């Protein structure tokens, strides 16, 4: 059994050399990840969502549809592009609730084509804007 301990010690000692030897190969094989970012249009959707209420995310109920039929529909804040609408929905939730968003809503955001890096970037930007408004002199 002593030879096993020697072999394990030898493997442990040579492990950094093996990792260093494989590092250039791994760097070539792994594609370079593009950092997450939003376009100017997407940032404008995020900033405009600051003024939307969470109630804009719900479908109107029976009473709301009836009042809309009688008095005319109120302003519809929904966007025609599904990806931008998913961004608006997540931005409204983030403006009002921070990171306290359900996994169902996060999954819908990710299904629209965004990544968790986009969600993190959105949350950090909202926090920056809110903190600068809070601590403004």
């Amino acid at each position: 059994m002593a030879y096993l301990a020697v072999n394990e010690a030898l493997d442990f000692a040579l492990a950094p050399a093996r990792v260093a030897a494989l590092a250039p190969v791994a760097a070539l094989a792994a594609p370079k990840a593009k950092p997450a970012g939003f376009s100017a249009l997407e940032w404008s959707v995020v900033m405009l969502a600051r003024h939307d209420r969470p109630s804009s995310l719900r479908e109107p109920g029976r009473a709301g549809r009836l009042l809309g039929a009688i008095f005319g529909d109120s302003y519809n804040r929904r966007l025609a592009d599904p990806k931008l609408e998913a961004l608006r929905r997540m931005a409204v939730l983030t403006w009002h609730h921070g990171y306290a968003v359900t996994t169902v809503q996060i999954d819908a955001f990710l299904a629209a084509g965004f990544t968790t890096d986009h969600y993190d970037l959105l949350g950090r930007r909202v926090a920056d804007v809110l903190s600068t408004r809070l601590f403004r002199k």
Side-chain angles (χ1 to χ4, degrees), residues 82-83 86-87 90 103-116:
K83 186 172 182 177
L87 177 62
M90 184 56 68
T103 57
V104 173
Q105 294 158 339
I106 293 173
D107 290 340
F109 181 70
L110 298 177
F114 294 104
T115 63
T116 55

Side-chain angles (χ1 to χ4, degrees), residues 22-61:
L22 293 177
V25 175
L28 291 175
K32 299 201 188 275
K34 181 181 162 191
F38 292 117
S39 67
L41 175 64
E42 291 169 337
W43 279 122
S44 65
V45 167
V46 169
M47 296 310 286
L48 288 172
R50 179 170 77 184
H51 303 291
D52 290 351
R53 294 181 179 177
S55 62
S56 70
L57 304 178
R58 292 189 299 265
E59 291 289 328

Side-chain angles (χ1 to χ4, degrees), residues 53-102:
R53 294 181 179 177
S55 62
S56 70
L57 304 178
R58 292 189 299 265
E59 291 289 328
R62 252 190 315 180
R65 285 193 303 261
L66 177 65
L67 290 174
I70 295 172
F71 298 110
D73 288 329
S74 63
Y75 182 68
N76 183 7
R77 295 192 178 274
R78 292 198 175 102
L79 301 175
D81 185 16
K83 186 172 182 177
L84 291 178
E85 176 59 20
L87 177 62
R88 183 190 76 85
R89 294 177 70 83
M90 184 56 68
V92 168
L93 292 169
T94 305
W95 280 111
H96 291 281
H97 304 293
Y99 283 108
V101 179
T102 64

Side-chain angles (χ1 to χ4, degrees), residues 3 8 18 29 35 39 45 66 77 125 136:
Y3 66 91
E8 289 174 356
R18 289 183 184 157
S39 67
V45 167
L66 177 65
R77 295 192 178 274
R125 177 64 180 149
R136 193 182 304 170

